[in-house]
Each structure stands twice: as C-alpha cells, then as structure tokens.
C-alpha cells in the first residue's frame, strides 16, 4: 500500500482530496490528515508517508516551511502542492522543496488524477525496489553466515536453516 498524508487547514479540502484518493487510487492508504505545518512534520516523522499533499497556507508553520524542515532531515517522499496561491514565487519555492506538481484550488478531478498518478507510480516503484534490495541484502547475509561457519569448521544448524 502507498501511504498518503494530506495536510490542509480546511476540512472540506481534506475531505475532497480523501474522496478522490479513495475513489481513483485504491492502492493508497490514507493516513490521518493534519491541519497545520507542525503536525505535518510530526506525522511525516512518525508515519513515513510515500506521498504528501500539502497546502501552503497553514497555521503554526506554512506548508513550504514544513517541507523545508523535512527536507533538511533527508526524508524521501513524493510531494504534491495543493494551494489557493497561484503566485510564481510560491511555485518556484515548492519546486525547490522537491514538489513534483502544483495544483491551484479548486482542483478538478481530471487534473488531480493527472498530477497524483505519477507520484503514486513512482512511490510504488521505490517500494518495490526497496523490497528487492532488502531481499538481496538478507540473502547475502545468509550466504556470508554459511560461508563463515564452513570456513571456521563449525557449521551449525542455525546457519544452515
């Protein structure tokens, strides 16, 4: 499952985004939404979402400032900005923070699907690659353990199993 976190200070916007994600992206799990930038930072650190949908203007810490804090921690996630602001300066800063796309409210379903689908696909590819890397690392570790037990002349049951 692709974990999605929505950060917006307007409950109606959160509900609309959740509905679109549920309806058009069943492979996604929607994490509990947050309504301010500080909660966004906390939730990302606790839940490690694959994709975040972030509003710019939120209380306590703006969406862009929250993303700056998160990027400083080298957290990897796909980012979609969802904002009422169509100002170029905001768009530019969003790109600098790693946003893949920028949607201006109100968002139409087709625009949302076109912007969100590539993020879900990319997150899915990352998860698949991570699972493959984990399996390869586990196999290499097991092979080394078996080789070491043979070289030391003490093959034990645990290593072979």
């Amino acid at each position: 499952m692709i974990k999605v976190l929505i950060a917006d200070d307007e409950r109606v916007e959160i509900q609309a985004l959740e509905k679109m994600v549920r309806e058009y992206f069943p492979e996604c799990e929607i994490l509990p939404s947050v309504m301010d930038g500080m909660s966004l930072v906390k939730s990302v650190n606790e839940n490690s979402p694959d994709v975040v949908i972030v509003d710019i203007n939120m209380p306590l810490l703006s969406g862009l400032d929250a993303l700056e804090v998160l990027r400083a921690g080298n957290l990897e996630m796909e980012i979609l900005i969802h904002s009422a602001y169509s100002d170029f300066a905001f768009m530019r800063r969003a790109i600098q923070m790693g946003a893949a796309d920028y949607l201006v409210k109100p968002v139409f379903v087709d625009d949302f699907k076109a912007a969100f689908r590539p993020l879900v696909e990319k997150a899915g590819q990352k998860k698949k690659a991570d699972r493959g890397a984990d399996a390869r690392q586990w196999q290499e570790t097991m092979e080394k353990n078996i080789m070491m037990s043979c070289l030391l002349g003490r093959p034990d049951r645990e290593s072979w199993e």
Side-chain angles (χ1 to χ4, degrees):
M1 293 289 279
I2 305 298
K3 295 189 292 185
V4 177
L5 175 62
I6 300 170
D8 199 304
D9 63 333
E10 297 177 44
R11 177 61 52 198
V12 69
E13 293 292 339
I14 290 172
Q15 291 169 341
L17 291 167
E18 286 177 347
K19 183 176 189 251
M20 286 189 283
V21 170
R22 271 192 208 94
E23 188 169 336
Y24 300 107
F25 301 92
E27 67 273 28
C28 293
E29 168 193 358
I30 300 172
L31 298 170
S33 298
V34 296
M35 298 183 76
D36 63 76
M38 295 297 282
S39 297
L40 171 60
V41 171
K42 182 179 179 193
S43 182
V44 167
N45 284 317
E46 290 175 356
N47 299 303
S48 302
D50 302 300
V51 179
V52 293
I53 302 171
V54 181
D55 184 17
I56 289 178
N57 189 21
M58 294 190 294
L60 302 179
L61 191 63
S62 79
L64 293 177
D65 289 340
L67 290 175
E68 192 169 351
V69 169
L70 292 168
R71 286 296 184 208
N74 292 321
L75 295 174
E76 289 192 29
M77 64 201 144
E78 301 303 314
I79 301 167
L80 175 63
I81 300 294
H82 175 250
S83 178
Y85 295 109
S86 59
D87 185 288
F88 179 73
F90 285 123
M91 291 179 196
R92 182 171 182 212
R93 186 161 177 226
I95 290 168
Q96 291 170 341
M97 292 300 109
D101 212 332
Y102 192 109
L103 296 175
V104 178
K105 297 176 186 179
V107 175
F108 298 102
V109 171
D110 289 341
D111 294 335
F112 177 78
K113 289 177 7 183
F116 195 68
R117 180 168 283 109
L119 304 183
V120 171
E121 289 171 357
K122 189 172 180 182
Q125 290 168 353
K126 280 184 186 175
K127 278 185 164 300
K128 189 175 182 179
D130 289 348
R131 282 193 303 267
D134 289 346
R136 283 188 300 278
Q137 185 177 8
W138 179 84
Q139 182 178 357
E140 289 172 6
T141 301
M142 290 296 99
E143 289 171 356
K144 287 177 185 175
N145 287 345
I146 291 170
M147 289 299 292
M148 287 302 292
S149 69
C150 289
L151 289 172
L152 295 173
R154 307 179 283 192
D156 59 17
R157 183 175 179 87
E158 183 179 320
S159 294
W160 290 102
E161 289 176 357

